[in-house]
Amino acid sequence: MIDFEWYRSFIYIYKYHSVSEAAKTRIMTQPATSQHLASLEAEVGEPLFIRTARKMVPTERGKELYSQLA
């Protein structure tokens, strides 16, 4: 079952391209925000971001999900 907090974390990661910045904005810890993303990706069944050294780049599925939520 999907938790709506996972969606909130996903939206902030999408906007800021960073788990750390999303966590700061949401006043959460970085590990908690990462766990939300991991749980959402497990529920969706595919990655929502490509992790690079400097930022999180949304996959096509991530872009689709953001469009549905926004």
Side-chain angles (χ1 to χ4, degrees):
M1 179 186 232
I2 293 179
D3 183 340
F4 288 110
E5 292 301 315
W6 300 351
Y7 286 138
R8 287 191 182 117
S9 292
F10 167 77
I11 289 169
Y12 279 96
I13 294 167
Y14 190 97
K15 285 182 180 181
Y16 292 104
H17 303 285
S18 166
V19 173
S20 296
E21 285 301 313
K24 285 180 194 174
T25 304
R26 294 208 62 215
I27 311 171
M28 295 177 61
T29 63
Q30 185 272 330
T33 305
S34 291
Q35 184 59 47
H36 283 184
L37 178 59
S39 297
L40 183 58
E41 287 178 328
E43 190 71 30
V44 169
E46 57 188 300
L48 299 171
F49 293 97
I50 297 168
R51 290 135 176 92
T52 66
R54 292 280 178 196
K55 64 181 182 176
M56 304 282 282
V57 179
T59 61
E60 286 304 313
R61 182 64 180 109
K63 291 175 187 177
E64 289 172 14
L65 181 60
Y66 182 79
S67 293
Q68 291 172 351
L69 296 173

